[in-house]
């Protein structure tokens, strides 16, 4: 058995003293796509913050490929191959599209290569390359954010609500790229609030609420339990 | 006529160029690291002195001196400062970062005065006195070089920021620090770099300015105010707009010198121009542009019960009486300023500690109080005890009005500028503190009781401190106290509760300045003189430091702060190896505060109640475990997962 790309065990985390994660257990097997679903405030983004090194867990373990990474800084993790696209838009609004992509050379990829990859997957970005990223439409901004995942050969990709505020056709287009990425063998952890967009591409689904993973399994199995997780939250 | 205008314009452009260099350094550091460096001017000052030392005292050649100062010492110094601040900059409150750089400013001033005691030192301009004629005006090489250097800095910064990956990463940090880390950039290194760069530019400005101003510690340190006035035009973010602001400021100053009368009311107006420009710009900028991060995030002490509060006051008076009746008079003379300064420090407790409003001009309010005594109660009449706080409160409200829109950093800089304005333009006037800046004041006499002796005056000070302290704690328990806390924690919530934010803020300023004014009046009485040099901007800075050191949220903290402030010169006088303590003390306190932003009072009360927070309060270690730097998974991930992860594990040696 190889170690999973990502393994969380009993992860707890808190903002100030308010505990938000209460023992999260989650595996992302190497090379698979795992979707983490759950209602508002379930702790999904917090989980990603912990994994990407932005937040330190109060207890529990985070392992990547068997290596304990608790305490690693976000930039060290990023250079080690963890690509996190945070909630909202993972772009720099006051840099141009090209400058946003140029930053990727921190990962050791050549700027030219990064530009090629980005423009090949998203020709739209090429037309807009001199525009400040803040002026792009929401969909274009997410393309730009995804370009980072595409151009830098990461080992583990964390995507937080890629679909937020976007039209369904655009979401579909973005997830096509994610699917293509998944086929290259990279491990992906997707966070979404609503299941429909990701059930098709996920190998495995975990449902989170109240700071814990409440149910997990194959997409078709979990689909049934999803409603209880959401309704349970509402009651 | 026209020739004059031309000449003044050239001088203005030269001065503007220097401000531009200094201000762009300030902007680069502030935007990239998020810390406003109050010591920016002081860094320029110390580099100018160092340049004098190696170039003119030791006779090194100009290029070697420049390389040594600007390319070796200045960047190293910037890096050291960043390290001292690093624990604070991230996530820390604005106040804790502020006091550290203020401490640095005082430390550098103390250092300069120690190493280079004031005496005539000349720094010649480059190729002085040579130059060339531009039409009817003679331009020195130094002036021409200054303008060229500024242009070079502008172009250089532009290229750095837009053409290099490092520069783009620095801009990325400005945009979104967290995301920069997620994209693999190292925000920490960018901060280091920005401090090195800022320090170099400060040094460059200092060296260019030295032949103009000569080597004057205070004047060069005040460069930060001019630089700030220029930078605020670009909202502390835009380098090009900062250059525009600097040129406008340089020209205004030059025309003011040229066309305003050099005697009478306008004599010192040039010194006030940066401040005036600053206020105008601050008032003209839309409010949303002026948001900074939360000002005060210090812990509040437990609310003392009325009983505790009264007991504390009574204890203070008893102890003070016991001291006053036993110790030698000379010791008492040393000790008494602690209470007067403590009272002025106390004025920061409701304003900064409770309401979260920063003021760097408390000594100015104290000066207003002292002025009131000089004018209305120089004979020791008790009227002074009423007029002094009243007049100071009025000035406090005047300050608060334009300051209503400001918070955090902008408020700090606004009040700093006000302090400079007052001490340069108002307090130096003959009709304020007399021809030599010193006016005689009698000690208080109330209803036949004279407090002329230092023993009686000492007890009086203790009684006043206790009364004000008890009064403040009573206020804190009431409605007004809750409004102050609400203003500090959430101004938005306060407005939503139907409270008028403006009224509350004005009231807080009025209360605070009244206390400071009272403190100033009593300080003047204690010294039996009101001295303008006691009330300068540079006196306000240590006050803020010690108030924060003592614990700016607690009444007892102000007393502790006063003791420290009064104690430093005493220690320095009596223990020879501590001679430089008066000069260096406040700076060292600033560095201590970098580690302990809560202040002594809270630490003591924690120890008392067994919570022992010394260990708990040290900032969380930000270094990462070494093994994570070469996390196994950075190996090639192209092929399908299994064997790659296996290899990754082998790399790790698991
Ligand atoms: N910076 C913060 N400070 C304090 N509490 C926070 C912070 N961020 C999130 N929380 C709280 O933590 C809980 C979990 O938040 P989180 O963002 O992880 O939820 P989420 O599952 O991502 O929700 P959403 O679907 O709305 O994005 C919420 O109750 C939220 O209010
Ligand atoms: Mg979220």
């Amino acid at each position: 058995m190889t170690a999973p790309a990502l393994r969380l065990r009993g992860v707890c985390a808190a903002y100030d003293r308010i505990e938000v994660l209460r023992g999260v257990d989650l595996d992302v097997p190497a090379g698979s796509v795992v979707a983490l679903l759950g209602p508002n405030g379930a702790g999904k983004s917090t989980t990603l913050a912990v994994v990407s090194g932005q937040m330190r867990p109060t207890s529990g373990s985070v392992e990547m490929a068997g290596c304990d990474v608790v305490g690693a800084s976000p930039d060290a993790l990023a250079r080690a191959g963890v690509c996190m696209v945070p909630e909202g838009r993972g772009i720099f609004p006051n840099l141009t599209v090209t400058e946003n992509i140029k930053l990727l050379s921190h990962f050791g990829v050549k700027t030219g290569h990064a530009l090629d990859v980005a423009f090949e997957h998203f020709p739209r970005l090429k037309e807009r390359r001199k525009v400040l990223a803040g002026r792009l439409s929401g969909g274009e901004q997410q393309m730009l954010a995804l370009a980072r995942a595409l151009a830098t050969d990461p080992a583990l990709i964390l995507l937080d609500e890629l679909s937020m505020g976007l039209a369904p056709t655009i979401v579909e287009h973005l997830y096509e790229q994610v699917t293509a990425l998944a086929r290259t063998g990279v491990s992906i952890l997707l966070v979404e609030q609503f299941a429909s967009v990701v059930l098709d591409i996920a190998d495995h689904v975990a449902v989170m609420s109240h700071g814990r993973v409440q149910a997990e399994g194959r997409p078709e199995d979990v689909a049934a339990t999803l409603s209880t997780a959401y309704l349970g939250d509402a009651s | 006529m026209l020739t004059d205008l031309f000449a003044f314009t050239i001088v203005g452009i030269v001065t503007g160029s220097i401000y531009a260099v200094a201000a762009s350094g300030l902007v680069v550091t502030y935007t990239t690291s998020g810390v406003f460096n109050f010591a920016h001017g002081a860094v320029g000052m110390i580099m100018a002195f160092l340049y004098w030392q190696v170039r003119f005292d030791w006779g090194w050649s100009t290029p070697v001196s420049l390389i040594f100062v600007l390319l070796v010492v200045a960047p190293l110094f910037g890096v050291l400062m960043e390290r001292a601040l690093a624990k604070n900059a991230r996530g820390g409150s604005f106040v804790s970062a502020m006091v550290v750089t203020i401490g640095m400013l005082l430390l550098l001033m103390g250092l300069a005065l120690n190493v280079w005691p004031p005496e005539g030192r000349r720094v010649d301009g480059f190729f002085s006195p040579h130059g060339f004629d531009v039409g009817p005006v003679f331009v020195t090489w130094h002036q021409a070089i200054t303008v060229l250097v500024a242009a070079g800095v502008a172009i250089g910064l532009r290229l750095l920021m837009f053409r290099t990956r490092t520069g783009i990463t620095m801009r990325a940090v400005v945009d979104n620090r967290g995301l920069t880390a997620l994209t693999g950039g190292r925000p920490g290194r960018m901060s280091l770099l920005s401090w090195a760069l800022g320090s170099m530019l400060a040094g460059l400005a200092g060296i260019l300015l030295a032949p103009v101003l000569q080597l004057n510690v205070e004047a060069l340190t005040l460069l930060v105010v001019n630089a700030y006035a220029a930078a605020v035009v670009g909202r502390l973010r835009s380098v090009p707009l900062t250059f525009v602001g600097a040129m406008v400021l340089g020209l205004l100053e030059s025309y003011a010198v040229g066309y305003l009368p050099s005697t009478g009311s306008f004599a010192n107006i040039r010194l006030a121009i940066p401040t005036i420009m600053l206020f105008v710009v601050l008032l003209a900028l839309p409010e949303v542009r002026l948001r900074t991060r939360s000002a005060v995030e210090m812990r509040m002490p437990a609310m003392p019960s009325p009983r505790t509060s009264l007991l504390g006051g009574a204890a203070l008076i008893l102890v003070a009486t016991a001291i006053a009746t036993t110790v030698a008079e000379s010791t008492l003379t040393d000790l008494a300023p602690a209470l007067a300064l403590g009272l002025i420090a106390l004025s920061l407790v409701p304003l900064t500690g409770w309401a979260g409003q920063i003021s760097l001009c408390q000594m100015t309010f104290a000066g207003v109080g002292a002025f009131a005594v000089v004018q209305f109660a120089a004979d020791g009449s008790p009227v002074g005890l009423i007029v002094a706080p009243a007049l100071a409160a009025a000035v406090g409200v005047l300050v608060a009005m334009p300051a209503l829109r400001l918070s955090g950093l902008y408020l700090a800089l606004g009040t700093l500028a006000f302090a400079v304005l007052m001490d340069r333009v108002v307090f130096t006037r003959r009709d304020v503190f007399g021809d030599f800046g010193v006016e005689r004041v009698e000690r208080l006499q109330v209803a036949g009781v004279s407090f002329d002796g230092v023993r009686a005056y000492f007890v009086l000070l203790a009684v006043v401190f206790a009364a004000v302290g008890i009064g403040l704690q009573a206020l804190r328990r009431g409605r007004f106290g809750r409004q102050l806390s609400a203003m500090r924690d959430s101004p938005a919530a306060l407005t939503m509760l139907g409270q008028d934010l403006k009224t509350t803020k004005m009231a807080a300023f009025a209360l605070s300045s009244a206390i400071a004014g009272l403190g100033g009046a009593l300080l003047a009485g204690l010294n039996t003189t009101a001295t303008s040099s006691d009330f300068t901007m540079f006196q306000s800075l240590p006050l803020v430091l010690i108030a924060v050191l003592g614990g700016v949220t607690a009444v007892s903290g102000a007393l502790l702060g006063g003791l420290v402030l009064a104690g430093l010169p005493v220690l320095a006088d009596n223990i020879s190896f501590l001679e430089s303590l008066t000069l260096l003390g406040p700076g060292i306190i600033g560095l201590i505060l970098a580690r302990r932003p809560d202040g002594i009072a809270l630490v003591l009360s924690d120890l008392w109640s067994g919570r022992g927070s010394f260990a708990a309060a040290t900032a969380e270690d930000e270094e990462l475990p070494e093994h994570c730097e070469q996390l196994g998974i950075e190996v090639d991930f192209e092929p399908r997962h299994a064997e790659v992860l296996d290899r990754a594990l082998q790399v790790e040696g698991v």
Side-chain angles (χ1 to χ4, degrees):
Chain A
M1 247 324 263
T2 53
L6 175 68
R7 161 167 285 176
L8 305 186
R9 282 295 172 271
V11 169
C12 296
Y15 293 102
D16 288 324
R17 303 243 163 76
I18 304 157
E19 193 161 63
V20 173
L21 300 186
R22 303 187 178 85
V24 176
D25 296 326
L26 181 69
D27 280 358
V28 178
S32 67
V33 178
V34 174
L36 183 61
L37 306 176
N40 268 324
K44 308 177 299 284
S45 299
T46 309
T47 306
L48 291 196
V50 167
V51 172
S52 60
Q54 293 168 295
M55 219 174 135
R56 218 187 162 98
T58 46
S59 64
S61 69
V62 181
E63 291 178 6
M64 288 177 193
C67 167
D68 176 20
V69 296
V70 170
S73 70
D75 52 307
L77 284 172
R79 284 187 302 274
V82 178
C83 176
M84 158 92 165
V85 178
E87 206 169 7
R89 312 286 177 231
I91 51 124
F92 299 100
N94 290 311
L95 304 189
T96 64
V97 169
T98 309
E99 284 172 336
N100 265 276
I101 298 173
K102 271 188 184 162
L103 282 178
L104 301 182
S105 55
H106 282 295
F107 293 100
V109 292
K110 292 259 178 332
T111 300
H113 172 72
L115 287 169
D116 287 346
V117 174
F119 293 159
E120 181 193 324
H121 285 85
F122 302 111
R124 182 91 190 107
L125 291 182
K126 186 166 187 178
E127 295 163 32
R128 311 275 277 156
R129 64 183 178 279
K130 289 192 178 136
V131 178
L132 288 186
R135 297 263 164 81
L136 298 176
S137 71
E140 290 166 339
Q141 291 183 343
Q142 286 299 43
M143 291 177 195
L144 185 55
L146 263 189
R148 173 152 59 91
L150 290 163
T152 58
D153 284 331
L156 174 65
I157 299 178
L158 312 167
L159 299 175
D160 198 350
E161 301 204 35
L162 203 55
S163 64
M164 201 206 285
L166 298 180
T169 52
I170 297 171
V171 175
E172 209 170 289
H173 177 55
L174 291 171
Y175 271 109
E176 271 167 25
Q177 301 296 331
V178 175
T179 316
L181 260 173
R183 289 206 200 92
T184 67
V186 54
S187 314
I188 302 179
L189 178 59
L190 298 173
V191 163
E192 282 290 351
Q193 258 193 57
F194 300 105
S196 53
V197 275
V198 290
L199 285 184
D200 292 342
I201 64 165
D203 302 317
H204 194 85
V205 175
V207 182
M208 188 168 193
S209 72
H210 299 102
R212 273 197 202 92
V213 173
Q214 309 283 3
E216 55 182 318
R218 287 181 303 163
E220 52 274 29
D221 300 336
V222 170
T225 61
L226 266 181
S227 54
T228 37
Y230 284 85
L231 289 176
D233 193 62
S235 64
Chain B
M1 194 56 226
L2 218 52
T3 312
D4 281 353
L5 181 65
F6 188 45
F8 290 133
T9 305
I10 288 183
V11 170
I13 290 174
V14 171
T15 317
S17 298
I18 298 176
Y19 294 161
V21 172
S24 57
L26 198 61
V27 169
V28 167
T29 310
Y30 176 65
T31 50
T32 313
S33 72
V35 177
F36 184 90
N37 184 9
F38 281 86
H40 191 70
V43 173
M45 177 272 295
I46 214 91
M47 295 305 151
F49 271 93
L50 190 64
Y51 176 73
W52 171 85
Q53 184 69 53
V54 296
R55 172 69 188 85
F56 295 98
D57 201 30
W58 295 346
W60 297 8
S61 75
T62 304
V64 174
S65 306
L66 285 175
I67 290 173
F68 174 72
V69 176
L70 293 180
L71 298 183
V72 180
V73 180
L76 266 180
F77 190 81
V79 166
L80 277 180
M81 281 181 73
E82 203 274 348
R83 287 289 91 191
L85 277 161
K87 299 262 181 225
N88 255 281
R90 268 163 285 172
S93 76
F94 161 68
V95 166
S96 50
M98 180 185 84
V99 291
V100 178
T101 62
I102 287 181
M104 201 80 72
L105 178 158
L106 294 169
L107 187 68
L108 290 176
M109 286 180 74
L111 199 71
L113 288 169
N114 249 335
V115 180
W116 296 284
E119 64 172 65
R121 289 187 188 80
R122 269 178 64 86
V123 172
D124 295 328
F126 300 122
F127 304 109
S128 159
H130 301 289
F132 53 90
D133 289 319
V134 178
V137 178
F138 180 74
V139 176
T140 66
W141 279 113
H142 186 83
Q143 291 177 316
I145 288 174
T146 301
V147 175
L148 285 180
V149 163
V153 166
I155 295 168
L157 280 179
R158 181 84 198 170
L159 289 179
L160 172 72
M161 290 300 185
F162 287 86
R163 289 295 157 80
T164 68
R165 188 184 76 178
T166 305
I168 296 174
T169 311
M170 284 174 88
R171 284 166 52 220
V173 172
V174 177
D175 245 14
N176 187 337
R177 191 182 181 97
L179 187 62
T180 312
L182 291 179
T183 56
R186 293 177 173 86
R189 280 193 200 175
M190 294 303 126
S191 280
L192 270 183
L193 186 69
S194 74
W195 276 83
L197 201 59
S199 178
M200 284 163 66
L201 290 170
L204 186 56
I207 291 174
L208 290 172
L209 197 57
V212 184
L213 281 186
Q214 285 314 316
L215 287 174
N216 177 320
V217 171
E218 290 197 2
L220 285 170
T221 302
L222 281 175
L223 180 62
V224 70
V225 175
N226 302 25
Y228 165 60
V232 86
V233 172
R235 281 182 272 117
L236 297 180
R237 289 177 75 97
S238 155
V239 174
L241 283 177
T242 297
F243 268 74
V244 173
M247 286 302 160
V248 171
L249 182 57
L251 288 171
L252 281 178
E253 278 196 13
S254 176
Y255 294 147
V257 170
Y259 293 109
L260 292 178
S262 61
T263 53
S265 311
F266 289 113
N268 284 320
I269 196 77
R270 191 183 68 84
L271 299 163
I273 285 179
T275 313
I276 294 168
M277 176 164 142
L278 189 66
F279 280 130
V280 171
V281 176
L282 284 179
L283 293 182
L285 281 180
E287 194 159 353
V288 277
R289 306 264 192 229
L290 299 174
R291 297 261 159 80
T292 52
R293 64 184 156 146
S294 152
V296 183
E297 276 160 22
M298 278 170 289
R299 285 165 46 213
M300 294 288 280
M303 184 106 68
S305 69
R307 220 174 75 101
T308 322
S309 173
L310 283 173
L311 282 178
L316 174 66
I317 296 171
L318 276 180
V319 171
T321 313
I323 294 176
T325 45
T326 48
V327 305
E329 223 165 80
S330 64
T331 315
L332 214 53
T333 312
D334 285 341
L335 204 55
L339 289 169
L341 292 170
L343 187 58
I344 304 175
L346 187 59
S347 71
L348 281 168
V349 170
L351 186 67
T352 305
W354 299 348
Q357 307 297 311
I358 293 167
S359 162
L360 298 181
C361 62
Q362 292 309 100
M363 273 299 181
T364 309
F365 296 140
V368 172
F371 165 73
V373 170
V374 168
Q375 292 298 312
F376 304 106
D379 55 353
S381 136
V383 171
L385 290 186
I386 296 158
V387 188
L391 190 64
V395 175
V397 170
L398 267 183
V399 174
M401 279 196 295
L404 282 179
R405 323 164 62 243
L406 309 180
S407 63
L409 175 63
Y410 290 98
L411 183 57
L413 289 159
T415 51
L416 179 86
F418 177 72
V420 175
L421 179 75
M422 289 291 283
D423 86 46
R424 292 289 148 130
V425 181
V426 178
F427 289 167
T428 48
R429 291 171 62 102
R430 284 153 180 243
D431 43 4
V432 176
F433 287 119
D435 287 343
F436 304 101
V438 185
E439 283 280 16
R440 223 189 130 62
V441 169
E442 299 290 327
R443 283 192 183 142
L444 191 68
Q445 289 185 344
V446 190
V449 186
S450 164
F451 292 91
D452 196 30
V454 70
R455 294 184 191 279
Y457 205 81
F458 189 79
V459 176
L460 172 73
L461 286 173
V463 170
V464 173
F465 187 98
V468 174
I470 293 170
L472 281 179
Q473 283 172 340
L475 262 184
R476 185 178 160 213
R477 278 187 293 268
R479 210 172 97 90
F480 183 58
R482 285 195 300 275
Q483 286 176 4
L484 292 185
S485 310
M487 179 153 70
R488 160 189 141 135
D489 296 335
S490 168
L494 184 68
T495 5
M496 268 188 290
L497 285 171
Q499 301 296 346
D500 186 1
L501 187 62
K502 298 193 171 176
T503 320
T504 313
K505 200 164 179 175
M506 298 243 264
F509 261 95
L511 174 67
S512 170
S513 51
I515 298 172
L518 183 62
L522 290 171
L523 184 67
L526 175 66
N527 295 334
T528 62
T529 49
T531 314
S532 64
S533 61
D534 279 348
F535 305 114
T536 63
M537 181 275 279
F538 286 117
Q539 298 298 326
S540 287
L541 298 183
L543 191 81
V544 173
L545 277 191
I546 56 111
V548 175
L549 175 79
V552 75
T553 51
V555 169
S556 54
L559 188 59
L560 276 171
L563 280 171
V564 174
L565 199 58
L568 286 175
V570 177
L571 282 180
D573 282 349
N574 295 321
I575 308 172
S576 60
F577 70 89
L578 292 179
E579 215 173 341
S580 34
L581 206 61
T582 337
L583 295 173
L584 300 182
I588 294 166
I589 291 171
L591 293 182
I592 297 173
L593 281 172
R595 302 249 146 207
R596 293 270 357 163
D598 284 340
I600 299 174
L602 278 185
V603 175
L604 289 180
S605 87
D606 280 355
L607 287 178
W608 182 258
S609 59
R611 267 195 283 157
S613 76
F614 265 117
T618 42
E620 196 182 305
D621 195 4
E622 303 245 3
E623 306 298 317
L624 43 141
E626 227 168 63
H627 70 276
C628 289
E629 301 218 48
Q630 327 97 17
L631 195 66
I633 47 177
E634 73 185 310
V635 287
D636 189 324
F637 247 71
E638 205 76 65
R640 220 50 216 171
H641 50 276
E643 69 264 40
V644 177
L645 283 171
D646 273 345
R647 258 196 286 146
L649 291 177
Q650 280 155 19
V651 173
E652 270 302 304
V654 179

